[in-house]
Structure formats: structure tokens, C-alpha cells
Amino acid sequence: MSARRSTGDPKTAVANLQDLLADRLRVLGPDCRDTFATAHQLAHWRGVVGDAAGAVNALGDLVEDRERVLGEDDPEALSTRYDLGVWQVAAGYKLAAIDTFRDLLPDLERLHGARHRDTLRTRCQLLCAEGRISEPERCGEIAQELLEVLQQQWHELWDGHHDTLTTRREMAVMLGRSGQAAQAETSLRHLLDELLPSFGADHRAVLPIRDELAHWMGVAGDPAGAATAFAQLLPDRVRVLGADHPVTLRTRHQLAHWQALAGEIPEAVAAFEQLLADRLRLLGRNHEDVGRTREELEHWRAQG
């Protein structure tokens, strides 16, 4: 039984997979498919527990090994390239992710066709990565391109499939980035209302939607509502991911940010002070998230 199945605790999964990988390297060698599979799972769970950069490094090495042994068109090598792009996005390496998905997409189209599930998923990820660094006009165009992806996904999958949910969420985000914050909020609210009865508030597909909804609620002109939504999201993030996970820390930052904009400046300053201490402890003085937190803290201290 794999560590992915054997535990609901990602940190335990990482420890179990590290032991399993050591055993497989010793018994099977570094170029065995089973060894590759375990290394892939380990990289995935390292990302899940918050080490996205470590996942990127491990998957980058694994891509080279799988392609060398199995060939560039092997399904497992292609899967590793896709996951590399996903964790590059999570780690903030957006330009690298764009390159990864751009290189992967024509290979998937050649092997599977333009309407295959893996091709559509990769196209969605490429568009989303591009949207994160694009100007508002381009984000509006990307929203329309994502609609085309979604329509094709509906032919291949079902409405509640994780891929279609991701595409719908990212369409809303691109609308927001194009200047249509109210429409983004409405789209995300409809999506959340659809999912909550079946999935619950802390499902892996639901939490990112709640996060985006809270953000675009604030951008659309309701900072108090955004602060309330992030306050409701935070305990679920802590329970599911842990208090020190990077996503949990980002949720705390968002909560403090919208509290300040809602006029709760003393509460926001206190929250930023604690967040800064935690980020310094976890990330060190030179991390960009530490600098971002310090800037907001100093700004709102001056306002108070």
C-alpha cells in the first residue's frame, strides 16, 4: 500500500515515502519504474506539506531520469512534466511554469489529440500561468479561451470533475484580473453554492474557491465581507494544512490586509506583527513574503 493511501497526514506520508524510496533504491536501483513512481509521490507530498520549491527540484531531476530511461513520450514522463509545471506555479516560478506547459502541450496534442483530458488540463494550466503575469486586457482574452477549454472538457468529463472545477475557478479569476471584480465574485459564489452541499467547506476543490471568493469580494468593494470570509477560512486552513503551511500564512496575510481596509487597523496591525514573527521564524529575513508582510505592517502602523 502506498503512503498516499495509508495515511491522511501528509507529513507522515513524506516520512513513509522517504523510507520506501531508500528501500527501493537499495533493492531495485535508481532506474526502476517503481523507484521512479515512489520518487514522484514523494515530490508531490513534499509540495503538499508546503515545500513547493523542494517538489520542483525533485521533479526536475525526475523528468530527466524518466525521459532518459523510459523515453520522452512515456506517459509517466509526461505526467512528471505536468506536475513539475504545477509545482513551479505553486513555488512562484511563473515564467518557468509557462515554459514547462508550453513545451508539454504540443507533445500531448501529438500523442493524444487536442480534446484529450490531459491536453485540456495542460492548456488550462498554461493559460492560468500566463494570466498571472498578464495585463488586464490579456486576462479578459484568457477568460474566453478558458471557456473554450471548459466547453471541450464538458464533452470529455462531467460537470463536477476536478478539472472542470479548476477551469471554472480560473475563468472567474481571469475575469477579476481583467477588471471585472464583481463578475468574478458572482461566478465564484455560484460555483461555491454548487459544491458545498456535495463536498463540504474544507474539500480540496472548495478551499481555493473560498479563498478566491473572499479576495474578489474585497476587490469588488466589500472589505469587511472579505475579512469575515478569510476569518472563516483560516481555521479550516489550519486544520487541513497546518499552522505553518505557506497557504495558511497567506490566508493570515489576506485576513489582516482586508481587516485594515475595513477600518480594523489595530486588529490588523496585531495580526501583521504576529505573522511577521512567524514568517521570520520559518522563512528568514530575505524571503519576499517577509518583505511583503513588513511593508504592510509599517504602512498600517503609520495609518494607526
Side-chain angles (χ1 to χ4, degrees):
M1 180 180 293
S2 72
R4 184 190 298 261
R5 290 175 174 266
S6 65
T7 179
D9 178 2
K11 291 183 179 179
T12 301
V14 169
N16 290 345
L17 285 164
Q18 286 173 331
D19 292 342
L20 179 58
L21 181 60
D23 290 341
R24 285 189 160 166
L25 285 167
R26 175 174 52 81
V27 175
L28 302 176
D31 291 343
C32 176
R33 278 187 181 270
D34 289 342
T35 304
F36 290 153
T38 302
H40 194 150
Q41 284 198 41
L42 175 57
H44 168 81
W45 286 107
R46 286 181 67 178
V48 169
V49 300
D51 184 11
V56 168
N57 291 335
L59 289 167
D61 292 340
L62 184 58
V63 166
E64 295 180 2
D65 291 340
R66 274 183 157 165
E67 289 184 343
R68 172 177 54 81
V69 175
L70 306 175
E72 294 183 357
D73 291 345
D74 183 86
E76 294 171 2
L78 295 170
S79 175
T80 307
R81 289 168 65 189
Y82 175 84
D83 282 355
L84 172 61
V86 170
W87 288 111
Q88 284 172 328
V89 171
Y93 309 148
K94 297 180 181 66
L95 293 176
I98 289 170
D99 288 341
T100 296
F101 290 129
R102 278 181 180 165
D103 290 344
L104 176 59
L105 186 59
D107 290 338
L108 293 174
E109 290 175 337
R110 172 175 53 84
L111 293 166
H112 302 310
R115 297 174 66 91
H116 189 272
R117 166 183 167 178
D118 292 346
T119 307
L120 293 172
R121 177 193 294 152
T122 301
R123 186 179 169 201
C124 175
Q125 291 285 357
L126 173 58
L127 288 169
C128 295
E130 290 177 341
R132 292 297 190 272
I133 62 170
S134 294
E135 296 298 321
E137 181 179 351
R138 174 57 180 148
C139 290
E141 296 172 354
I142 288 174
Q144 292 301 312
E145 293 178 49
L146 285 171
L147 178 59
E148 296 174 6
V149 171
L150 181 64
Q151 290 169 339
Q152 293 175 359
Q153 286 176 327
W154 277 335
H155 286 289
E156 304 297 325
L157 304 167
W158 63 93
D159 289 358
H161 191 279
H162 182 73
D163 288 357
T164 65
L165 299 178
T166 298
T167 304
R168 291 176 66 187
R169 184 189 75 226
E170 293 301 322
M171 282 175 56
V173 171
M174 289 304 121
L175 287 173
R177 291 181 63 83
S178 72
Q180 303 176 68
Q183 189 170 346
E185 178 191 352
T186 299
S187 298
L188 289 162
R189 195 178 299 281
H190 288 164
L191 181 56
L192 183 62
D193 289 343
E194 289 179 30
L195 297 185
L196 281 175
S198 299
F199 292 94
D202 59 0
H203 188 274
R204 69 187 182 99
V206 174
L207 288 170
I209 296 169
R210 293 173 60 193
D211 189 297
E212 292 291 354
L213 174 57
H215 171 77
W216 291 109
M217 189 185 308
V219 176
D222 184 9
T228 298
F230 277 115
Q232 294 169 344
L233 175 62
L234 181 57
D236 291 334
R237 289 292 200 194
V238 172
R239 185 178 70 259
V240 174
L241 299 175
D244 290 342
H245 194 282
V247 174
T248 304
L249 298 176
R250 285 198 294 272
T251 301
R252 289 172 59 190
H253 189 121
Q254 286 271 39
L255 172 56
H257 172 80
W258 291 111
Q259 281 178 322
L261 288 176
E264 303 174 22
I265 295 179
E267 294 85 349
V269 167
F272 276 126
E273 287 174 342
Q274 185 58 57
L275 177 60
L276 179 60
D278 289 339
R279 279 183 157 166
L280 283 168
R281 171 175 57 86
L282 295 165
L283 303 173
R285 292 185 173 274
N286 297 323
H287 195 279
E288 62 181 358
D289 288 346
V290 173
R292 189 177 299 115
T293 303
R294 195 189 303 276
E295 288 176 6
E296 285 235 38
L297 173 58
E298 292 173 354
H299 172 79
W300 291 112
R301 273 179 176 165
Q303 298 298 315

